[in-house]
Amino acid sequence: MFELRPYSRNSMSTWNPFSEMEEMERRFFNNDFFTGRGLAEFKTDITDEGDYYELKADLPGFKKEDISLNLDGDTLTIQAQRHSEHEDQEKKGKYVCCERSYGSYSRSFDVSSVRAEGITAAYDNGVLTLKLPKKTVEVSSSRQINIE
């Protein structure tokens, strides 16, 4: 029977005695932890729709119950948590390869220019969509002041 293994590009016919050290260095310094591109920071798009901002966050594979939105002052925090399936007793020992990530993911946003009471949220097909209504800005009228 064959074994399932992730594809590896190290199947070259020539041997380089330094390849393992180069590979280790590349993995260590190009790791998502050091570059800041890890899964702990999910991707978002924010658009200006006139009277409100629209924030879309990619959260594929999450259940709606595992996503929380917290507003603390002028900071909105989106947090999502995915639990590990490989710790499930029914599936323990059945895994051949386990590469999917699990844990807590969060992002915080400054919402000082948003009316907090009007924020709405929807989650569909792995995309969290927030409508953030803008605060109305009072335009000061100019006038002439007389000097006495």
Side-chain angles (χ1 to χ4, degrees):
M1 183 105 192
F2 65 90
E3 292 181 0
L4 292 175
R5 293 185 185 194
Y7 174 75
S8 176
R9 295 184 194 168
N10 295 338
S11 59
M12 298 175 63
S13 60
T14 60
W15 181 70
N16 179 356
F18 301 106
S19 64
E20 290 180 20
M21 286 298 288
E22 290 170 357
E23 176 71 15
M24 184 186 76
E25 182 180 358
R26 190 174 80 251
R27 283 186 182 177
F28 184 77
F29 290 110
N30 289 336
N31 189 330
D32 287 338
F33 176 78
F34 292 106
T35 59
R37 295 173 298 171
L39 289 176
E41 186 176 280
F42 48 85
K43 306 300 180 203
T44 61
D45 290 338
I46 302 173
T47 57
D48 186 345
E49 300 294 329
D51 57 343
Y52 67 93
Y53 296 106
E54 184 175 70
L55 183 147
K56 290 188 177 186
D58 285 342
L59 296 166
F62 286 94
K63 296 177 187 172
K64 183 175 152 181
E65 301 82 38
D66 294 335
I67 301 171
S68 66
L69 303 172
N70 297 310
L71 188 61
D72 184 18
D74 288 338
T75 303
L76 172 70
T77 301
I78 301 171
Q79 186 172 19
Q81 188 164 6
R82 183 180 295 146
H83 302 283
S84 173
E85 292 178 5
H86 74 273
E87 294 175 356
D88 188 1
Q89 292 300 322
E90 291 179 15
K91 296 182 179 181
K92 202 168 200 150
K94 293 183 180 182
Y95 279 93
V96 176
C97 178
C98 187
E99 294 181 338
R100 294 179 9 187
S101 60
Y102 301 94
S104 182
Y105 312 91
S106 71
R107 295 270 311 260
S108 295
F109 301 90
D110 176 31
V111 290
S112 57
S113 63
V114 170
R115 280 189 307 112
E117 65 277 358
I119 297 174
T120 60
Y123 183 66
D124 187 38
N125 290 328
V127 178
L128 176 68
T129 303
L130 297 172
K131 288 190 178 180
L132 308 162
K134 295 179 182 178
K135 285 183 179 176
T136 55
V137 179
E138 294 183 21
V139 179
S140 61
S141 60
S142 64
R143 63 186 179 111
Q144 184 71 32
I145 298 174
N146 295 325
I147 301 174
E148 293 181 22

